[in-house]
Amino acid sequence: MSSDARFMALALGLGRRGMGRTWPNPAVGCVIVKGGRILGRGWTQPGGRPHAETVALAQAGAHAAGATAFVTLEPCAHHGQTPPCTDALIRAGIARVVTPLTDSDPRVNGEGIARLRAAGIDVTLGVIAEQAAEDHAGFFLRVAQGRPFLTLKLASSFDGRIATATGESQWITGPDARRQVHGMRARHDAVMIGAGTARADDPMLTVRDMGLTRQPVRVVVSRRLDLPLMGQLARSARAVPLWICHGPDADPALVEAWQGLGARLLVCPVGGGQMEAGGVLKRLGAEGLTRVFCEGGGALAASLLNADVVDRLVGFTAGVTLGAEGQPSLGAMGVDRLAEAPRFALRSSRSIGVDVMHEWGRARR
């Protein structure tokens, strides 16, 4: 690995520390290096500010003059709630900037690189670009399509069931798999479930035992708002953000009740008698979310797959069988021919305690 790639890999690792906490901004990492020595390190802070470059430059201080800045996304060139990072790099006397990708945000989109070069700073583009594109996929998707990156998690028995015929589901997978899921929640902006799961499981949907001070947003998709008003989600709505995506035909009394409990209500489009999955995601994107982690249930998961908005599948398979009378992990999808079925490409597979975890990405078409 070249020195450029090594330092960029470090910057990418730093940037991932901000995943789930920087939205609507991207989770960027930055390393300041001179003579092979690291002078400053930073990543985008919770809420999106300060930016990674600002944190790293503050650590480096006056030593940043003549150094190289490794930044995991093109430095911003526009005035937002903070001044442009390009100006900060120029003022610090940075001699070279290494970045894997241009920022597709129309307010930047090459302007940052142009300003750096105009100031006499050498810019190297394209180092570990594929990994950087994956890390920033949610930010790019929101810019290009108006929706967040969606990870769909399914935990099931060996024969694809999520509960017995009587509805018993805790716990099909083991404690190691459940802890892994909490880590995944922490790296996303929001955790999403459908109304059926909220009614059946009465979940909290929080990240536990990981020392988080900023919880992901909890999103429930419920057309009619027919959710337990005395459940865990309702009781904790003022303490942990709770957004409910509902249809325009929801009972106004329930809208008022949930707002009174502290939930945020988002009206989303309905089609064919159910919530439009694509419309729900676009509404979440409009609210600033870049990465959403969906944990079911079966009807919501099927609608997301049918709408072609699932970017990554994560499966946890347990060594238990429940039979045909058990509840399937996916609802009806109306697939008549194999050629019509959504397909994904296997990315990894490994043991997690007594279970198997497999990750799948969008298949190349």
Side-chain angles (χ1 to χ4, degrees), residues 18 20-26 44-51 81 214:
R21 285 166 287 195
T22 67
W23 62 274
N25 289 358
T44 309
Q45 295 300 293
R49 299 171 200 86
H51 292 184
Q81 295 190 30
R214 181 185 174 101

Side-chain angles (χ1 to χ4, degrees), residues 105-354:
D105 187 325
R107 298 171 297 177
V108 186
N109 201 16
E111 179 63 23
I113 291 173
R115 288 174 65 170
L116 292 170
R117 285 174 172 161
I121 296 176
D122 180 33
V123 178
T124 300
L125 185 64
V127 178
I128 317 187
E130 187 173 347
Q131 181 61 61
E134 183 173 328
D135 287 1
H136 297 308
F139 176 73
F140 291 151
L141 263 176
R142 182 172 175 266
V143 171
Q145 300 182 26
R147 70 167 181 88
F149 183 95
L150 181 74
T151 300
L152 174 60
K153 185 271 293 184
L154 299 172
S156 64
S157 65
F158 181 79
D159 53 342
R161 306 289 158 170
I162 57 172
T164 65
T166 61
E168 184 182 353
S169 61
Q170 295 181 340
W171 297 98
I172 288 177
T173 54
D176 294 313
R178 296 197 294 275
R179 181 167 177 79
Q180 186 79 11
V181 168
H182 279 268
M184 291 179 175
R185 288 179 179 178
R187 293 191 295 275
H188 287 76
D189 308 343
V191 180
M192 181 169 71
I193 60 170
T197 299
R199 289 190 294 266
D201 296 347
D202 189 25
M204 271 291 286
L205 297 181
T206 52
V207 178
R208 298 182 287 279
D209 301 324
M210 291 193 171
L212 280 197
T213 57
R214 181 185 174 101
Q215 288 284 344
V217 175
R218 301 172 301 170
V219 177
V220 181
V221 181
S222 175
R223 176 183 173 182
R224 296 184 177 85
L225 284 178
D226 48 346
L227 303 168
L229 287 167
M230 295 298 292
Q232 292 197 96
L233 291 171
R235 294 197 302 269
S236 60
R238 294 194 186 280
V240 182
L242 174 64
W243 297 1
I244 306 179
C245 297
H246 65 90
D249 54 348
D251 186 340
L254 289 175
V255 171
E256 184 177 354
W258 278 104
Q259 287 175 332
L261 289 168
R264 185 173 183 188
L265 279 293
L266 304 178
V267 180
C268 298
V270 172
Q274 63 180 6
M275 301 289 289
E276 287 185 4
V280 168
L281 283 193
K282 290 216 168 181
R283 182 60 196 271
L284 296 177
E287 297 298 328
L289 297 184
T290 64
R291 291 168 55 83
V292 172
F293 187 66
C294 180
E295 299 194 39
L300 177 59
S303 69
L304 292 166
L305 287 164
N306 275 338
D308 192 27
V309 291
V310 175
D311 301 294
R312 180 171 299 162
L313 276 176
V314 178
F316 291 90
T317 302
V320 61
T321 55
L322 301 181
E325 63 270 37
Q327 297 180 16
S329 59
L330 286 176
M333 293 181 60
V335 176
D336 294 323
R337 299 171 59 247
L338 280 175
E340 300 170 352
R343 287 194 179 270
F344 294 82
L346 182 64
R347 308 224 1 209
S348 67
S349 179
R350 59 193 173 107
S351 298
I352 301 289
V354 297

